[in-house]
Amino acid sequence: MKRLTVHASREYDVLVGRDLLNRAGDLAREALKKSGGRVMLVSEDRVAPLYLERATESFSAAGFSVFTYVFEAGESSKNMNTLAGLLNRMAEVPMTRSDFVVALGGGVVGDLAGFAASVYARGIRFVQIPTTLLAMVDASVGGKTAVDLPAGKNMAGTFWQPSLVICDLDLLDTLPGETFRCGVAEIIKYAFIGDRELYDHLCQSLTDHLEWIVARSVADKRDLVEADERDTGARQLLNLGHTIGHAVERCSDFRIPHGDAVAIGMHRITSAAVKKGRCDRNVLVCLDALLDRYGLPKSAGFDADSLTQAALGDKKRQGDSITLVLPCGMCKSERMAVPVGELRDWIAAGGDAEE
Ligand code: GLY
């Protein structure tokens, strides 16, 4: 098992290894220095049949009274109603400020349970047990919590760091291939932001080096979170491929999953950087080879006008400019503020021949 410590507004460990769910109760008791009390286990109805019983047994065996809240799987549940349902359930128990929440699931569960933990009784602790590769390497670390509003994804949220993150790689065994692939897109992102060694491992084999690669991705994210917890500077590098990626998600009415959209976004922004002379073509060749190798798409066929329109609604826009993340060398990226009037030009520059 690998243990990484995140030094943010709260200091916490991220554990990466195998057979950790069965030990989750003991690991939480040790990390939170807490024995007894109540735990609210939050999950969704695709994950719960697979892992909720084991999680419940583990926390019960560690001496906690376990309560559960399971909601319907999917992004459409990440809303104020589900949040209110969870908060009311916590109040019914009743949970107190010394109790804690456990998020057992992918990014939707982590975002929603983390948000509930951050506002219940003005904030109680929570533990992340991510069950998808994407949540392990990205969403569970760094303390962003959110629900969606009709106006957009993640429009209401908080920064609230977890007290422990448990990445049990065994949980990935039940993951559908498409969902696993989405996590790989985020790992490729870390490589192209600035991690040559991670890139080299991805060129060899993901499955042979899974523990190393997940821990390394977490370490890359940790470094950016520690440098800029509130996402006003260096942390924005994590948006490589995301401005166009979010636009692709919107244009597809969210039928294209996040990881695939990020892959498309990385390809397109790298193509644009090459075309505008800011990046060597070899970077694009290397990126495309990895995307192909892991079965990730490079285009969805949306035209530059539709993508620009969708990108302008992104909450990352700040007034009249939008910060793009551009590859500027092999495994090297930089931020660049672009006037919104020039965004279409960038998106068009990365377009494919099919348009
Ligand atoms: N997922 C991007 C971030 O945590 O900043």
Side-chain angles (χ1 to χ4, degrees):
M1 179 180 81
K2 295 195 186 314
R3 181 185 297 265
L4 298 97
T5 303
V6 181
H7 301 273
S9 50
R10 176 178 281 123
E11 190 172 302
Y12 56 97
D13 285 345
V14 182
L15 311 177
V16 182
R18 294 199 175 269
D19 194 26
L20 299 183
L21 181 60
N22 296 330
R23 296 164 49 204
D26 287 338
L27 294 168
R29 192 178 54 194
E30 191 183 304
L32 278 69
K33 298 186 178 35
K34 176 163 174 56
S35 51
R38 301 172 195 84
V39 172
M40 179 61 71
L41 260 177
V42 183
S43 195
E44 42 94 317
D45 62 6
R46 272 188 317 226
V47 169
L50 298 170
Y51 301 122
L52 191 63
E53 198 178 316
R54 268 167 62 195
T56 302
E57 278 168 12
S58 173
F59 281 90
S60 297
F64 297 105
S65 302
V66 180
F67 299 85
T68 58
Y69 183 80
V70 178
F71 59 85
E72 195 181 328
E75 185 74 27
S76 60
S77 289
K78 207 174 101 174
N79 59 39
M80 285 295 197
N81 286 340
T82 317
L83 177 71
L86 172 55
L87 291 170
N88 285 325
R89 172 103 179 96
M90 289 162 73
E92 263 165 38
V93 166
M95 306 271 292
T96 70
R97 296 188 81 178
S98 66
D99 297 324
F100 64 97
V101 171
V102 175
L104 176 70
V108 169
V109 172
D111 283 6
L112 190 121
F115 194 178
S118 73
V119 294
Y120 183 80
R122 299 209 172 87
I124 66 172
R125 294 185 291 179
F126 83 114
V127 172
Q128 292 266 22
I129 308 182
T131 57
T132 65
L133 183 60
L134 195 146
M136 287 182 190
V137 299
D138 185 14
S140 66
V141 180
K144 282 188 180 175
T145 81
V147 294
D148 303 337
L149 297 181
K153 242 180 111 166
N154 296 331
M155 289 292 277
T158 55
F159 287 96
W160 190 249
Q161 301 292 340
S163 295
L164 176 67
V165 183
I166 300 172
C167 301
D168 182 346
L169 302 175
D170 288 341
L171 307 189
L172 300 176
D173 291 346
T174 52
L175 212 57
E178 178 192 293
T179 316
F180 188 84
R181 185 177 79 201
C182 282
V184 180
E186 296 284 356
I187 295 173
I188 292 174
K189 179 192 78 176
Y190 291 119
F192 281 83
I193 287 172
D195 192 340
R196 179 67 197 232
E197 208 178 329
L198 179 57
Y199 169 80
D200 290 339
H201 277 74
L202 287 169
C203 290
Q204 290 162 27
S205 162
L206 176 76
T207 40
D208 288 354
H209 304 291
L210 190 61
E211 184 175 299
W212 187 93
I213 285 175
V214 170
R216 180 71 173 214
S217 302
V218 169
D220 286 340
K221 175 146 189 188
R222 175 204 53 199
D223 292 348
L224 291 170
V225 168
E226 287 182 354
D228 172 29
E229 183 174 349
R230 305 289 289 202
D231 201 18
T232 56
R235 184 170 179 167
Q236 293 169 357
L237 287 170
L238 294 170
N239 293 333
L240 176 62
H242 279 61
T243 300
I244 297 176
H246 285 155
V248 167
E249 283 183 278
R250 281 181 183 213
C251 286
S252 75
D253 277 330
F254 294 93
R255 275 188 291 274
I256 296 181
H258 180 69
D260 283 358
V262 167
I264 292 165
M266 285 193 290
H267 168 79
R268 190 148 184 154
I269 199 65
T270 307
S271 301
V274 170
K275 205 161 286 175
K276 286 179 174 281
R278 299 185 71 100
C279 178
D280 194 274
R281 172 160 294 278
N282 186 46
V283 177
L284 179 62
V285 172
C286 293
L287 171 68
D288 285 354
L290 269 192
L291 296 179
D292 289 345
R293 174 179 182 146
Y294 290 105
L296 286 156
K298 299 196 285 289
S299 172
F302 297 116
D303 63 47
D305 287 332
S306 313
L307 289 172
T308 307
Q309 214 42 48
L312 287 175
D314 199 294
K315 72 177 178 334
K316 290 178 173 65
R317 177 178 166 181
Q318 290 170 323
D320 289 337
S321 76
I322 192 155
T323 300
L324 295 180
V325 181
L326 302 173
C328 56
M330 190 56 199
C331 298
K332 211 165 157 216
S333 292
E334 63 186 1
R335 290 176 296 132
M336 192 180 78
V338 172
V340 291
E342 291 174 23
L343 183 62
R344 190 197 175 283
D345 184 45
W346 276 92
I347 290 178
D352 294 319
E354 69 185 83
E355 284 176 7

